[in-house]
Amino acid sequence: MERPTVTLRNFEESDLDDFMEWATDEEVYRFSMRETFKSREEAEFYIKNEAMGHPWLKAICVEGRAVGSISLYRGLGNSSCRAEIGYLVARNCWGKGIASQAVKLCLSTAFTDMPDLERIEGLVEPENVASQKVLEKAGFVKEALLRKFFTAKGKTRDFYSYRFLSEDLPHSM
């Protein structure tokens, strides 16, 4: 089976229809901190006012179509040396290596795009084995289990903490 070619790019207003296919899927958002999008208007507002203006939020694309998103949220002040990665891909893209390719593409530019960035962190729930595999394939190292770390969607959750350091970046990326 041939792996699809994955690219990352900024979101565009024309991504709305593709975005709606996965951003309204409860299963895609199962482990997300945010809820699914409930209307076309809500999704359009998000793309125009949040996604397009975000410092590092990209559409994950296959053959030019947005099939997911990947983001880096940089810490502030004393935490500006680190950023947290987040990603989602459409359910019909699961198990095809698309998320792994997207994370690797992110790593290949993140440390250049964000001067003085030294660490990228991924927080993954223990039940989200697929996402753990994505990070591990990209070279992230599991550091710890953070018990009762974050409350989202009315539930306090445990997370594995993963890290990727700037010095872990292969020179060939």
Side-chain angles (χ1 to χ4, degrees):
M1 180 169 85
E2 190 174 318
R3 289 181 96 179
T5 301
V6 175
T7 58
L8 303 181
R9 64 164 168 75
N10 292 330
F11 272 94
E12 302 166 353
E13 288 182 45
S14 60
D15 291 323
L16 182 59
D17 289 335
D18 293 332
F19 182 80
M20 288 297 292
E21 286 184 31
W22 49 270
T24 57
D25 187 333
E26 293 288 340
E27 198 58 28
V28 170
Y29 276 74
R30 179 176 168 207
F31 294 108
S32 175
M33 295 300 113
R34 85 179 295 145
E35 298 287 343
T36 58
F37 289 81
K38 303 299 183 208
S39 70
R40 190 171 177 81
E41 294 74 27
E42 181 186 6
E44 185 175 30
F45 182 88
Y46 172 80
I47 289 173
K48 286 181 180 178
N49 297 293
E50 293 182 47
M52 290 175 62
H54 190 283
W56 214 104
L57 172 63
K58 307 290 182 192
I60 300 171
C61 298
V62 174
E63 297 176 8
R65 290 191 61 204
V67 298
S69 67
I70 188 165
S71 61
L72 291 172
Y73 287 88
R74 188 161 193 173
L76 302 173
N78 293 339
S79 296
S80 65
C81 62
R82 60 188 169 97
E84 185 177 332
I85 191 170
Y87 47 87
L88 296 165
V89 293
R91 196 184 326 192
N92 65 350
C93 294
W94 292 356
K96 298 179 181 178
I98 292 169
S100 295
Q101 287 183 68
V103 170
K104 288 175 184 177
L105 286 169
C106 169
L107 293 174
S108 73
T109 63
F111 294 102
T112 303
D113 292 349
M114 296 182 175
D116 303 321
L117 183 67
E118 296 181 47
R119 175 187 175 97
I120 297 176
E121 300 170 333
L123 297 175
V124 183
E125 290 185 61
E127 298 82 19
N128 193 350
V129 175
S131 191
Q132 292 174 50
K133 288 178 181 177
V134 165
L135 293 178
E136 289 166 3
K137 285 179 189 175
F140 280 74
V141 174
K142 186 187 294 185
E143 289 188 311
L145 174 61
L146 306 172
R147 300 296 315 266
K148 308 289 183 197
F149 184 72
F150 197 84
T151 302
K153 299 178 184 175
K155 178 183 169 194
T156 303
R157 302 170 170 188
D158 296 342
F159 286 89
Y160 283 123
S161 172
Y162 282 82
R163 63 119 168 108
F164 190 97
L165 303 178
S166 57
E167 61 222 39
D168 296 335
L169 194 64
H171 295 292
S172 63
M173 277 189 136

